[in-house]
Amino acid sequence: MSRMSTKPKVVIVGGGFGGIAAAQGLKNAPVDVLVLDKTNHHVFQPLLYQVATAALAPTEITYPIRSILRKQKNATVWMTEVTGVDVAAKTVATADGKAIPYDYLILACGARHSYFGRDDWEPLAPGLKTLGDALEMRRRFLVAFEEAEMCDDPALQQAWLTFVIVGGGPTGCELAGVLPELAKKALRPDFRRVDLTKTRILLIENSPCILNTFPGVLAQRAQEDLKRLGVEVKNGVKVTDIRPDGVSLSSGEEVAARTVFWAAGNKAAPVGGSLGVATDRAGRVIVGRDLSIPGHSEVFVIGDMAQATLRDSNGEPISEKLVPGVAQGAVQGGACAARNVIRRVNHHPTEAFKYHNLGDLAVLGRGAAIASLPGLKLKGYPAWLFWLFIHVLKLIGYRNRLNVLLEWAYAFFTYQRGARLITRRR
């Protein structure tokens, strides 16, 4: 942003779905836009699990933030980590000691995984929110087979071949569904001393059913598909302890497993706590009808950081239902926040954020998926093909779309994975 500019300064924190949508929504506005992110790239999070399971390379689901906003003349991008906000002084604090002033602020910092008070489990059971998380998950998954190949103790070998996934939401189900095929098809011919058909995948879900945000008939079909693919689904069971050598379950079962992945909960980025306004148990900022915070109409919070109420076409709240923490919610929230900034600049009343559910998708494995769309429910191959089409379409960059399409075609016909790199052992 030019030091000589007299235009209102809009600072956007976060280069994810919400932050990018907000920046693009201000493209033709009479404002200067500054986008802050601790990395230099946007990550297409719905395909992170494909990096974690060696199906795609990291470069195929990422795109430089500067390149996305290259043609937007009023937008500037800085790579820096935001540590807090001083709403009284209207400044954003960064890790390198800067205090960046703003006239309007849009926070879209996202969320991290929550261990529900057991943060000591994080080193033992990594979650999947960032590119770094995906690469660590890939490393642990591939190293497990290397350890099993060299192991002479049958019990220890089986522990290396046992994978526990905690959480039966979309991320947990996507991971669980792809792991059996990867182990028993892609990797099996490459190992000599270990029988990868003995690979065991357990999906642990505390609720009575996995994917409980989907209609019951689709969730039930998803559970059947996972079992068909070779996943052991345990509903109504809670993980009570995680150790380097295994996990304990509320059912009393002890599972010997050397690899545990976490997909059970989220908590908002801690920046929201510096605003001095109310937050919920997950750390999400409780926002108003226009996504601004109480007492500071110039500050907007969107995406996974916000607790926003679902509203009808008239802007009235719908019971106690909240906007779900999914990509389409962040994109729509970013666009709404941008429109409301423009309205405030022009001294017009702001609009209420009205979330429109365009549909929910979950892929479970080869030819297995479910889709809940407005007026339509799909399952099996039709849902799977629809999932493929939508995700390729939504990727940023023609190069990424082509590469992903080719990688998926190659994997479909050969069962092979092209990103099986272990860059460090521990």
mmCIF file with all atom_site columns, all heavy atoms in Angstrom, residues 78-102:
data_model
loop_
_atom_site.group_PDB
_atom_site.id
_atom_site.type_symbol
_atom_site.label_atom_id
_atom_site.label_alt_id
_atom_site.label_comp_id
_atom_site.label_asym_id
_atom_site.label_entity_id
_atom_site.label_seq_id
_atom_site.pdbx_PDB_ins_code
_atom_site.Cartn_x
_atom_site.Cartn_y
_atom_site.Cartn_z
_atom_site.occupancy
_atom_site.B_iso_or_equiv
_atom_site.pdbx_formal_charge
_atom_site.auth_seq_id
_atom_site.auth_comp_id
_atom_site.auth_asym_id
_atom_site.auth_atom_id
_atom_site.pdbx_PDB_model_num
ATOM 1   N N   . TRP A 1 78  ? 1.949   -9.337  1.724  1.00 0.00 ? 78  TRP A N   1
ATOM 2   C CA  . TRP A 1 78  ? 3.131   -9.464  2.584  1.00 0.00 ? 78  TRP A CA  1
ATOM 3   C C   . TRP A 1 78  ? 3.132   -10.844 3.231  1.00 0.00 ? 78  TRP A C   1
ATOM 4   O O   . TRP A 1 78  ? 2.075   -11.318 3.686  1.00 0.00 ? 78  TRP A O   1
ATOM 5   C CB  . TRP A 1 78  ? 3.114   -8.411  3.692  1.00 0.00 ? 78  TRP A CB  1
ATOM 6   C CG  . TRP A 1 78  ? 3.460   -7.024  3.240  1.00 0.00 ? 78  TRP A CG  1
ATOM 7   C CD1 . TRP A 1 78  ? 3.788   -6.617  1.984  1.00 0.00 ? 78  TRP A CD1 1
ATOM 8   C CD2 . TRP A 1 78  ? 3.504   -5.851  4.071  1.00 0.00 ? 78  TRP A CD2 1
ATOM 9   N NE1 . TRP A 1 78  ? 4.027   -5.275  1.958  1.00 0.00 ? 78  TRP A NE1 1
ATOM 10  C CE2 . TRP A 1 78  ? 3.869   -4.772  3.223  1.00 0.00 ? 78  TRP A CE2 1
ATOM 11  C CE3 . TRP A 1 78  ? 3.290   -5.604  5.417  1.00 0.00 ? 78  TRP A CE3 1
ATOM 12  C CZ2 . TRP A 1 78  ? 4.009   -3.471  3.704  1.00 0.00 ? 78  TRP A CZ2 1
ATOM 13  C CZ3 . TRP A 1 78  ? 3.419   -4.318  5.901  1.00 0.00 ? 78  TRP A CZ3 1
ATOM 14  C CH2 . TRP A 1 78  ? 3.778   -3.257  5.044  1.00 0.00 ? 78  TRP A CH2 1
ATOM 15  N N   . MET A 1 79  ? 4.293   -11.465 3.283  1.00 0.00 ? 79  MET A N   1
ATOM 16  C CA  . MET A 1 79  ? 4.424   -12.738 3.998  1.00 0.00 ? 79  MET A CA  1
ATOM 17  C C   . MET A 1 79  ? 4.922   -12.446 5.409  1.00 0.00 ? 79  MET A C   1
ATOM 18  O O   . MET A 1 79  ? 6.096   -12.161 5.635  1.00 0.00 ? 79  MET A O   1
ATOM 19  C CB  . MET A 1 79  ? 5.400   -13.679 3.277  1.00 0.00 ? 79  MET A CB  1
ATOM 20  C CG  . MET A 1 79  ? 5.411   -15.080 3.882  1.00 0.00 ? 79  MET A CG  1
ATOM 21  S SD  . MET A 1 79  ? 6.506   -16.248 3.031  1.00 0.00 ? 79  MET A SD  1
ATOM 22  C CE  . MET A 1 79  ? 8.109   -15.669 3.608  1.00 0.00 ? 79  MET A CE  1
ATOM 23  N N   . THR A 1 80  ? 4.008   -12.493 6.348  1.00 0.00 ? 80  THR A N   1
ATOM 24  C CA  . THR A 1 80  ? 4.332   -12.239 7.743  1.00 0.00 ? 80  THR A CA  1
ATOM 25  C C   . THR A 1 80  ? 3.288   -12.900 8.626  1.00 0.00 ? 80  THR A C   1
ATOM 26  O O   . THR A 1 80  ? 2.151   -13.116 8.198  1.00 0.00 ? 80  THR A O   1
ATOM 27  C CB  . THR A 1 80  ? 4.392   -10.718 8.025  1.00 0.00 ? 80  THR A CB  1
ATOM 28  O OG1 . THR A 1 80  ? 4.875   -10.499 9.363  1.00 0.00 ? 80  THR A OG1 1
ATOM 29  C CG2 . THR A 1 80  ? 3.021   -10.075 7.890  1.00 0.00 ? 80  THR A CG2 1
ATOM 30  N N   . GLU A 1 81  ? 3.661   -13.216 9.840  1.00 0.00 ? 81  GLU A N   1
ATOM 31  C CA  . GLU A 1 81  ? 2.739   -13.877 10.773 1.00 0.00 ? 81  GLU A CA  1
ATOM 32  C C   . GLU A 1 81  ? 2.099   -12.859 11.695 1.00 0.00 ? 81  GLU A C   1
ATOM 33  O O   . GLU A 1 81  ? 2.795   -12.079 12.361 1.00 0.00 ? 81  GLU A O   1
ATOM 34  C CB  . GLU A 1 81  ? 3.477   -14.930 11.598 1.00 0.00 ? 81  GLU A CB  1
ATOM 35  C CG  . GLU A 1 81  ? 2.567   -15.692 12.536 1.00 0.00 ? 81  GLU A CG  1
ATOM 36  C CD  . GLU A 1 81  ? 3.281   -16.801 13.287 1.00 0.00 ? 81  GLU A CD  1
ATOM 37  O OE1 . GLU A 1 81  ? 4.497   -16.960 13.076 1.00 0.00 ? 81  GLU A OE1 1
ATOM 38  O OE2 . GLU A 1 81  ? 2.608   -17.495 14.083 1.00 0.00 ? 81  GLU A OE2 1
ATOM 39  N N   . VAL A 1 82  ? 0.789   -12.849 11.751 1.00 0.00 ? 82  VAL A N   1
ATOM 40  C CA  . VAL A 1 82  ? 0.048   -11.939 12.619 1.00 0.00 ? 82  VAL A CA  1
ATOM 41  C C   . VAL A 1 82  ? -0.120  -12.585 13.988 1.00 0.00 ? 82  VAL A C   1
ATOM 42  O O   . VAL A 1 82  ? -0.536  -13.736 14.102 1.00 0.00 ? 82  VAL A O   1
ATOM 43  C CB  . VAL A 1 82  ? -1.321  -11.593 12.001 1.00 0.00 ? 82  VAL A CB  1
ATOM 44  C CG1 . VAL A 1 82  ? -2.199  -10.837 12.996 1.00 0.00 ? 82  VAL A CG1 1
ATOM 45  C CG2 . VAL A 1 82  ? -1.134  -10.773 10.737 1.00 0.00 ? 82  VAL A CG2 1
ATOM 46  N N   . THR A 1 83  ? 0.201   -11.842 15.024 1.00 0.00 ? 83  THR A N   1
ATOM 47  C CA  . THR A 1 83  ? 0.134   -12.367 16.392 1.00 0.00 ? 83  THR A CA  1
ATOM 48  C C   . THR A 1 83  ? -1.013  -11.781 17.207 1.00 0.00 ? 83  THR A C   1
ATOM 49  O O   . THR A 1 83  ? -1.386  -12.333 18.239 1.00 0.00 ? 83  THR A O   1
ATOM 50  C CB  . THR A 1 83  ? 1.453   -12.099 17.130 1.00 0.00 ? 83  THR A CB  1
ATOM 51  O OG1 . THR A 1 83  ? 1.729   -10.687 17.121 1.00 0.00 ? 83  THR A OG1 1
ATOM 52  C CG2 . THR A 1 83  ? 2.603   -12.839 16.446 1.00 0.00 ? 83  THR A CG2 1
ATOM 53  N N   . GLY A 1 84  ? -1.564  -10.660 16.780 1.00 0.00 ? 84  GLY A N   1
ATOM 54  C CA  . GLY A 1 84  ? -2.651  -10.056 17.543 1.00 0.00 ? 84  GLY A CA  1
ATOM 55  C C   . GLY A 1 84  ? -3.180  -8.800  16.876 1.00 0.00 ? 84  GLY A C   1
ATOM 56  O O   . GLY A 1 84  ? -2.630  -8.306  15.895 1.00 0.00 ? 84  GLY A O   1
ATOM 57  N N   . VAL A 1 85  ? -4.264  -8.288  17.454 1.00 0.00 ? 85  VAL A N   1
ATOM 58  C CA  . VAL A 1 85  ? -4.915  -7.080  16.934 1.00 0.00 ? 85  VAL A CA  1
ATOM 59  C C   . VAL A 1 85  ? -5.187  -6.131  18.095 1.00 0.00 ? 85  VAL A C   1
ATOM 60  O O   . VAL A 1 85  ? -5.672  -6.546  19.155 1.00 0.00 ? 85  VAL A O   1
ATOM 61  C CB  . VAL A 1 85  ? -6.250  -7.421  16.232 1.00 0.00 ? 85  VAL A CB  1
ATOM 62  C CG1 . VAL A 1 85  ? -6.938  -6.150  15.738 1.00 0.00 ? 85  VAL A CG1 1
ATOM 63  C CG2 . VAL A 1 85  ? -6.031  -8.391  15.078 1.00 0.00 ? 85  VAL A CG2 1
ATOM 64  N N   . ASP A 1 86  ? -4.856  -4.869  17.898 1.00 0.00 ? 86  ASP A N   1
ATOM 65  C CA  . ASP A 1 86  ? -5.206  -3.823  18.855 1.00 0.00 ? 86  ASP A CA  1
ATOM 66  C C   . ASP A 1 86  ? -6.365  -3.041  18.245 1.00 0.00 ? 86  ASP A C   1
ATOM 67  O O   . ASP A 1 86  ? -6.162  -2.165  17.400 1.00 0.00 ? 86  ASP A O   1
ATOM 68  C CB  . ASP A 1 86  ? -3.997  -2.910  19.099 1.00 0.00 ? 86  ASP A CB  1
ATOM 69  C CG  . ASP A 1 86  ? -4.255  -1.880  20.202 1.00 0.00 ? 86  ASP A CG  1
ATOM 70  O OD1 . ASP A 1 86  ? -5.437  -1.567  20.461 1.00 0.00 ? 86  ASP A OD1 1
ATOM 71  O OD2 . ASP A 1 86  ? -3.284  -1.378  20.785 1.00 0.00 ? 86  ASP A OD2 1
ATOM 72  N N   . VAL A 1 87  ? -7.589  -3.384  18.668 1.00 0.00 ? 87  VAL A N   1
ATOM 73  C CA  . VAL A 1 87  ? -8.761  -2.761  18.050 1.00 0.00 ? 87  VAL A CA  1
ATOM 74  C C   . VAL A 1 87  ? -8.891  -1.292  18.435 1.00 0.00 ? 87  VAL A C   1
ATOM 75  O O   . VAL A 1 87  ? -9.476  -0.502  17.680 1.00 0.00 ? 87  VAL A O   1
ATOM 76  C CB  . VAL A 1 87  ? -10.050 -3.534  18.417 1.00 0.00 ? 87  VAL A CB  1
ATOM 77  C CG1 . VAL A 1 87  ? -10.061 -4.912  17.783 1.00 0.00 ? 87  VAL A CG1 1
ATOM 78  C CG2 . VAL A 1 87  ? -10.215 -3.636  19.932 1.00 0.00 ? 87  VAL A CG2 1
ATOM 79  N N   . ALA A 1 88  ? -8.346  -0.910  19.592 1.00 0.00 ? 88  ALA A N   1
ATOM 80  C CA  . ALA A 1 88  ? -8.418  0.499   20.002 1.00 0.00 ? 88  ALA A CA  1
ATOM 81  C C   . ALA A 1 88  ? -7.515  1.364   19.125 1.00 0.00 ? 88  ALA A C   1
ATOM 82  O O   . ALA A 1 88  ? -7.899  2.449   18.686 1.00 0.00 ? 88  ALA A O   1
ATOM 83  C CB  . ALA A 1 88  ? -8.034  0.634   21.466 1.00 0.00 ? 88  ALA A CB  1
ATOM 84  N N   . ALA A 1 89  ? -6.302  0.861   18.867 1.00 0.00 ? 89  ALA A N   1
ATOM 85  C CA  . ALA A 1 89  ? -5.357  1.613   18.035 1.00 0.00 ? 89  ALA A CA  1
ATOM 86  C C   . ALA A 1 89  ? -5.546  1.345   16.552 1.00 0.00 ? 89  ALA A C   1
ATOM 87  O O   . ALA A 1 89  ? -4.928  2.011   15.720 1.00 0.00 ? 89  ALA A O   1
ATOM 88  C CB  . ALA A 1 89  ? -3.927  1.258   18.436 1.00 0.00 ? 89  ALA A CB  1
ATOM 89  N N   . LYS A 1 90  ? -6.385  0.343   16.237 1.00 0.00 ? 90  LYS A N   1
ATOM 90  C CA  . LYS A 1 90  ? -6.630  -0.073  14.852 1.00 0.00 ? 90  LYS A CA  1
ATOM 91  C C   . LYS A 1 90  ? -5.327  -0.447  14.156 1.00 0.00 ? 90  LYS A C   1
ATOM 92  O O   . LYS A 1 90  ? -4.989  0.043   13.079 1.00 0.00 ? 90  LYS A O   1
ATOM 93  C CB  . LYS A 1 90  ? -7.385  1.018   14.078 1.00 0.00 ? 90  LYS A CB  1
ATOM 94  C CG  . LYS A 1 90  ? -8.766  1.320   14.653 1.00 0.00 ? 90  LYS A CG  1
ATOM 95  C CD  . LYS A 1 90  ? -9.475  2.435   13.926 1.00 0.00 ? 90  LYS A CD  1
ATOM 96  C CE  . LYS A 1 90  ? -9.957  2.025   12.572 1.00 0.00 ? 90  LYS A CE  1
ATOM 97  N NZ  . LYS A 1 90  ? -10.852 3.038   11.951 1.00 0.00 ? 90  LYS A NZ  1
ATOM 98  N N   . THR A 1 91  ? -4.593  -1.363  14.813 1.00 0.00 ? 91  THR A N   1
ATOM 99  C CA  . THR A 1 91  ? -3.349  -1.873  14.249 1.00 0.00 ? 91  THR A CA  1
ATOM 100 C C   . THR A 1 91  ? -3.308  -3.395  14.391 1.00 0.00 ? 91  THR A C   1
ATOM 101 O O   . THR A 1 91  ? -3.930  -3.974  15.296 1.00 0.00 ? 91  THR A O   1
ATOM 102 C CB  . THR A 1 91  ? -2.107  -1.288  14.947 1.00 0.00 ? 91  THR A CB  1
ATOM 103 O OG1 . THR A 1 91  ? -2.154  -1.606  16.346 1.00 0.00 ? 91  THR A OG1 1
ATOM 104 C CG2 . THR A 1 91  ? -2.029  0.214   14.749 1.00 0.00 ? 91  THR A CG2 1
ATOM 105 N N   . VAL A 1 92  ? -2.552  -4.030  13.497 1.00 0.00 ? 92  VAL A N   1
ATOM 106 C CA  . VAL A 1 92  ? -2.316  -5.464  13.525 1.00 0.00 ? 92  VAL A CA  1
ATOM 107 C C   . VAL A 1 92  ? -0.862  -5.684  13.892 1.00 0.00 ? 92  VAL A C   1
ATOM 108 O O   . VAL A 1 92  ? 0.038   -5.095  13.275 1.00 0.00 ? 92  VAL A O   1
ATOM 109 C CB  . VAL A 1 92  ? -2.621  -6.093  12.146 1.00 0.00 ? 92  VAL A CB  1
ATOM 110 C CG1 . VAL A 1 92  ? -2.173  -7.546  12.106 1.00 0.00 ? 92  VAL A CG1 1
ATOM 111 C CG2 . VAL A 1 92  ? -4.103  -5.996  11.830 1.00 0.00 ? 92  VAL A CG2 1
ATOM 112 N N   . ALA A 1 93  ? -0.613  -6.536  14.889 1.00 0.00 ? 93  ALA A N   1
ATOM 113 C CA  . ALA A 1 93  ? 0.752   -6.824  15.330 1.00 0.00 ? 93  ALA A CA  1
ATOM 114 C C   . ALA A 1 93  ? 1.272   -8.066  14.625 1.00 0.00 ? 93  ALA A C   1
ATOM 115 O O   . ALA A 1 93  ? 0.541   -9.049  14.462 1.00 0.00 ? 93  ALA A O   1
ATOM 116 C CB  . ALA A 1 93  ? 0.791   -7.036  16.842 1.00 0.00 ? 93  ALA A CB  1
ATOM 117 N N   . THR A 1 94  ? 2.546   -8.020  14.219 1.00 0.00 ? 94  THR A N   1
ATOM 118 C CA  . THR A 1 94  ? 3.156   -9.156  13.538 1.00 0.00 ? 94  THR A CA  1
ATOM 119 C C   . THR A 1 94  ? 4.303   -9.715  14.363 1.00 0.00 ? 94  THR A C   1
ATOM 120 O O   . THR A 1 94  ? 4.817   -9.059  15.279 1.00 0.00 ? 94  THR A O   1
ATOM 121 C CB  . THR A 1 94  ? 3.672   -8.753  12.147 1.00 0.00 ? 94  THR A CB  1
ATOM 122 O OG1 . THR A 1 94  ? 4.753   -7.827  12.288 1.00 0.00 ? 94  THR A OG1 1
ATOM 123 C CG2 . THR A 1 94  ? 2.561   -8.118  11.325 1.00 0.00 ? 94  THR A CG2 1
ATOM 124 N N   . ALA A 1 95  ? 4.726   -10.928 14.012 1.00 0.00 ? 95  ALA A N   1
ATOM 125 C CA  . ALA A 1 95  ? 5.781   -11.612 14.758 1.00 0.00 ? 95  ALA A CA  1
ATOM 126 C C   . ALA A 1 95  ? 7.117   -10.894 14.648 1.00 0.00 ? 95  ALA A C   1
ATOM 127 O O   . ALA A 1 95  ? 7.982   -11.052 15.517 1.00 0.00 ? 95  ALA A O   1
ATOM 128 C CB  . ALA A 1 95  ? 5.907   -13.051 14.260 1.00 0.00 ? 95  ALA A CB  1
ATOM 129 N N   . ASP A 1 96  ? 7.314   -10.109 13.587 1.00 0.00 ? 96  ASP A N   1
ATOM 130 C CA  . ASP A 1 96  ? 8.580   -9.390  13.437 1.00 0.00 ? 96  ASP A CA  1
ATOM 131 C C   . ASP A 1 96  ? 8.529   -7.975  14.009 1.00 0.00 ? 96  ASP A C   1
ATOM 132 O O   . ASP A 1 96  ? 9.393   -7.147  13.732 1.00 0.00 ? 96  ASP A O   1
ATOM 133 C CB  . ASP A 1 96  ? 9.008   -9.348  11.967 1.00 0.00 ? 96  ASP A CB  1
ATOM 134 C CG  . ASP A 1 96  ? 7.916   -8.801  11.052 1.00 0.00 ? 96  ASP A CG  1
ATOM 135 O OD1 . ASP A 1 96  ? 6.862   -8.398  11.579 1.00 0.00 ? 96  ASP A OD1 1
ATOM 136 O OD2 . ASP A 1 96  ? 8.114   -8.794  9.832  1.00 0.00 ? 96  ASP A OD2 1
ATOM 137 N N   . GLY A 1 97  ? 7.505   -7.699  14.831 1.00 0.00 ? 97  GLY A N   1
ATOM 138 C CA  . GLY A 1 97  ? 7.465   -6.449  15.576 1.00 0.00 ? 97  GLY A CA  1
ATOM 139 C C   . GLY A 1 97  ? 6.774   -5.287  14.901 1.00 0.00 ? 97  GLY A C   1
ATOM 140 O O   . GLY A 1 97  ? 6.761   -4.179  15.437 1.00 0.00 ? 97  GLY A O   1
ATOM 141 N N   . LYS A 1 98  ? 6.172   -5.504  13.758 1.00 0.00 ? 98  LYS A N   1
ATOM 142 C CA  . LYS A 1 98  ? 5.488   -4.410  13.072 1.00 0.00 ? 98  LYS A CA  1
ATOM 143 C C   . LYS A 1 98  ? 4.096   -4.193  13.666 1.00 0.00 ? 98  LYS A C   1
ATOM 144 O O   . LYS A 1 98  ? 3.470   -5.110  14.168 1.00 0.00 ? 98  LYS A O   1
ATOM 145 C CB  . LYS A 1 98  ? 5.359   -4.705  11.580 1.00 0.00 ? 98  LYS A CB  1
ATOM 146 C CG  . LYS A 1 98  ? 6.650   -4.618  10.784 1.00 0.00 ? 98  LYS A CG  1
ATOM 147 C CD  . LYS A 1 98  ? 6.360   -4.777  9.306  1.00 0.00 ? 98  LYS A CD  1
ATOM 148 C CE  . LYS A 1 98  ? 7.613   -4.557  8.465  1.00 0.00 ? 98  LYS A CE  1
ATOM 149 N NZ  . LYS A 1 98  ? 8.638   -5.590  8.701  1.00 0.00 ? 98  LYS A NZ  1
ATOM 150 N N   . ALA A 1 99  ? 3.621   -2.954  13.591 1.00 0.00 ? 99  ALA A N   1
ATOM 151 C CA  . ALA A 1 99  ? 2.241   -2.607  13.934 1.00 0.00 ? 99  ALA A CA  1
ATOM 152 C C   . ALA A 1 99  ? 1.627   -1.995  12.689 1.00 0.00 ? 99  ALA A C   1
ATOM 153 O O   . ALA A 1 99  ? 1.908   -0.842  12.346 1.00 0.00 ? 99  ALA A O   1
ATOM 154 C CB  . ALA A 1 99  ? 2.191   -1.633  15.109 1.00 0.00 ? 99  ALA A CB  1
ATOM 155 N N   . ILE A 1 100 ? 0.813   -2.757  11.999 1.00 0.00 ? 100 ILE A N   1
ATOM 156 C CA  . ILE A 1 100 ? 0.282   -2.349  10.692 1.00 0.00 ? 100 ILE A CA  1
ATOM 157 C C   . ILE A 1 100 ? -1.080  -1.691  10.889 1.00 0.00 ? 100 ILE A C   1
ATOM 158 O O   . ILE A 1 100 ? -2.013  -2.326  11.395 1.00 0.00 ? 100 ILE A O   1
ATOM 159 C CB  . ILE A 1 100 ? 0.161   -3.567  9.762  1.00 0.00 ? 100 ILE A CB  1
ATOM 160 C CG1 . ILE A 1 100 ? 1.533   -4.222  9.588  1.00 0.00 ? 100 ILE A CG1 1
ATOM 161 C CG2 . ILE A 1 100 ? -0.425  -3.162  8.416  1.00 0.00 ? 100 ILE A CG2 1
ATOM 162 C CD1 . ILE A 1 100 ? 1.488   -5.534  8.827  1.00 0.00 ? 100 ILE A CD1 1
ATOM 163 N N   . PRO A 1 101 ? -1.234  -0.446  10.499 1.00 0.00 ? 101 PRO A N   1
ATOM 164 C CA  . PRO A 1 101 ? -2.523  0.244   10.700 1.00 0.00 ? 101 PRO A CA  1
ATOM 165 C C   . PRO A 1 101 ? -3.555  -0.191  9.661  1.00 0.00 ? 101 PRO A C   1
ATOM 166 O O   . PRO A 1 101 ? -3.220  -0.624  8.557  1.00 0.00 ? 101 PRO A O   1
ATOM 167 C CB  . PRO A 1 101 ? -2.156  1.718   10.518 1.00 0.00 ? 101 PRO A CB  1
ATOM 168 C CG  . PRO A 1 101 ? -0.976  1.700   9.588  1.00 0.00 ? 101 PRO A CG  1
ATOM 169 C CD  . PRO A 1 101 ? -0.210  0.449   9.914  1.00 0.00 ? 101 PRO A CD  1
ATOM 170 N N   . TYR A 1 102 ? -4.798  -0.054  10.043 1.00 0.00 ? 102 TYR A N   1
ATOM 171 C CA  . TYR A 1 102 ? -5.890  -0.377  9.122  1.00 0.00 ? 102 TYR A CA  1
ATOM 172 C C   . TYR A 1 102 ? -7.062  0.571   9.362  1.00 0.00 ? 102 TYR A C   1
ATOM 173 O O   . TYR A 1 102 ? -7.221  1.124   10.464 1.00 0.00 ? 102 TYR A O   1
ATOM 174 C CB  . TYR A 1 102 ? -6.355  -1.830  9.292  1.00 0.00 ? 102 TYR A CB  1
ATOM 175 C CG  . TYR A 1 102 ? -6.962  -2.147  10.653 1.00 0.00 ? 102 TYR A CG  1
ATOM 176 C CD1 . TYR A 1 102 ? -8.300  -1.853  10.944 1.00 0.00 ? 102 TYR A CD1 1
ATOM 177 C CD2 . TYR A 1 102 ? -6.197  -2.723  11.666 1.00 0.00 ? 102 TYR A CD2 1
ATOM 178 C CE1 . TYR A 1 102 ? -8.856  -2.128  12.170 1.00 0.00 ? 102 TYR A CE1 1
ATOM 179 C CE2 . TYR A 1 102 ? -6.743  -3.007  12.913 1.00 0.00 ? 102 TYR A CE2 1
ATOM 180 C CZ  . TYR A 1 102 ? -8.068  -2.708  13.165 1.00 0.00 ? 102 TYR A CZ  1
ATOM 181 O OH  . TYR A 1 102 ? -8.621  -2.975  14.409 1.00 0.00 ? 102 TYR A OH  1
#
